[in-house]
Amino acid sequence: MTNRVSKGSLFPYCLWILLFVIAPIALIVYYSLLDLEGKFTLSNYQSFFSPAYIKMTFTSFWYAFLITFFTLVISYPTAYLLTKTKHKHLWLMLIIIPSWINLLLKTYAFIGIFGLYGPINAVVEVFGIEPKQILFTDFSFIFVSVYIFIPFMIIPIFNSLDKLNPTLIYAARDLGASSFTTFRRVVFPLTIDGVKSGIQVTFIPALSLFMITRLIAGNQVITLGTAIEQQFLVSQNWGMGSTIAVFLIIIMIIIMLVTGQRKGGRA
């Protein structure tokens, strides 16, 4: 009876995985094996290993790394300070609320802020400095991306810090450890799972950004996400677009395996 119940409860989950995970991936793999005429070919995979796409892949990794690094540097201290405040969950909610706003609206808001006649250049002009175009630069692209991903990085780190037993910190301080040593040897290792989760939800989406790349960075930044958009919507080359998507999925799986939580057995 128990086996029947467990199998029955697993059926909707397995159906969901089949329809919305396995089937789309299988469809992408299928299209990646077709050329513009719909004939079977491996030329798309050969093209991906050309210098242009290899450079694009490294560029995507570099920008994703920068976005994740700056997001982590801002989010960890913020999450730590939140756990020390009186109404920590209220402050956490205030940080999360902006993530509910449509991404396109936030992106267009930054276009106005960073524009040549935006408020930043208006303030700069007061000090006698000539206005500069902040849009379509690496700085604006990374800044906006970090702003968008900060809530997603803060949440898992906050949860890890909030669950941390404070007696462990008191014990380390009683044994003569400095604040930095306590953080390095006690706090950070015990919250590393939250950091890994935050890296996952930041680095993986950062690899496939295309809307922010287009609107904020213009054509100055070309990533794998931008290349997929171009192949599907501009070039109408679904085969090449699907091939890039296949490699992007493989990269994401590898990142999830590397940053996944490993729990060993306890005595």
Side-chain angles (χ1 to χ4, degrees):
M1 183 70 177
T2 305
N3 292 335
R4 290 181 179 178
V5 173
S6 61
K7 289 180 180 179
S9 60
L10 284 174
F11 177 75
Y13 173 77
C14 293
L15 183 62
W16 178 275
I17 294 295
L18 178 63
L19 292 177
F20 299 104
V21 178
I22 297 177
I25 292 176
L27 193 61
I28 290 174
V29 173
Y30 169 74
Y31 275 112
S32 70
L33 298 172
L34 302 179
D35 59 15
L36 288 170
E37 298 177 355
K39 297 178 180 179
F40 177 82
T41 182
L42 293 175
S43 60
N44 294 325
Y45 287 88
Q46 294 175 351
S47 299
F48 184 83
F49 289 100
S50 64
Y53 283 104
I54 294 297
K55 181 181 179 181
M56 191 182 301
T57 302
F58 279 108
T59 301
S60 298
F61 266 93
W62 174 242
Y63 281 110
F65 168 77
L66 289 177
I67 293 168
T68 304
F69 174 76
F70 287 117
T71 304
L72 178 61
V73 168
I74 296 172
S75 299
Y76 201 103
T78 304
Y80 182 80
L81 292 175
L82 283 176
T83 59
K84 302 301 179 183
T85 57
K86 184 177 180 181
H87 303 289
K88 53 187 176 183
H89 290 98
L90 175 61
W91 288 108
L92 180 64
M93 179 63 67
L94 292 176
I95 292 175
I96 295 174
I97 285 176
S99 65
W100 298 350
I101 301 174
N102 184 273
L103 179 60
L104 186 61
L105 293 177
K106 289 189 288 187
T107 304
Y108 273 109
F110 275 105
I111 291 176
I113 293 172
F114 287 145
L116 192 60
Y117 303 101
I120 292 181
N121 275 317
V123 173
V124 168
E125 200 172 2
V126 171
F127 295 95
I129 303 174
E130 185 179 351
K132 294 183 178 180
Q133 180 62 271
I134 307 175
L135 276 177
F136 313 132
T137 62
D138 289 355
F139 168 78
S140 61
F141 171 63
I142 294 174
F143 184 93
V144 175
S145 300
V146 169
Y147 166 79
I148 289 171
F149 286 121
I150 278 177
F152 304 104
M153 179 73 81
I154 285 180
I155 293 173
I157 296 176
F158 174 86
N159 290 333
S160 296
L161 288 168
D162 198 37
K163 294 176 182 177
L164 183 63
N165 190 344
T167 58
L168 297 174
I169 300 176
Y170 300 148
R173 299 304 297 271
D174 288 342
L175 291 172
S178 63
S179 299
F180 177 75
T181 302
T182 301
F183 171 78
R184 182 172 61 88
R185 300 294 296 273
V186 178
V187 177
F188 189 77
L190 292 176
T191 57
I192 191 65
D193 287 341
V195 173
K196 288 181 178 180
S197 298
I199 291 174
Q200 282 185 3
V201 298
T202 303
F203 192 91
I204 292 176
L207 275 176
S208 56
L209 288 174
F210 71 92
M211 184 175 69
I212 299 175
T213 309
R214 282 292 189 197
L215 297 178
I216 300 297
N219 293 321
Q220 304 301 317
V221 177
I222 304 296
T223 62
L224 291 176
T226 312
I228 293 173
E229 180 206 19
Q230 286 180 337
Q231 294 295 338
F232 274 99
L233 300 182
V234 180
S235 303
Q236 295 293 311
N237 189 347
W238 288 28
M240 194 62 220
S242 298
T243 302
I244 301 172
V246 167
F247 281 100
L248 191 58
I249 292 171
I250 293 173
I251 293 170
M252 290 177 178
I253 292 173
I254 294 173
I255 293 170
M256 291 179 66
L257 292 175
V258 171
T259 59
Q261 299 179 12
R262 297 180 178 86
K263 296 183 179 180
R266 294 184 180 180

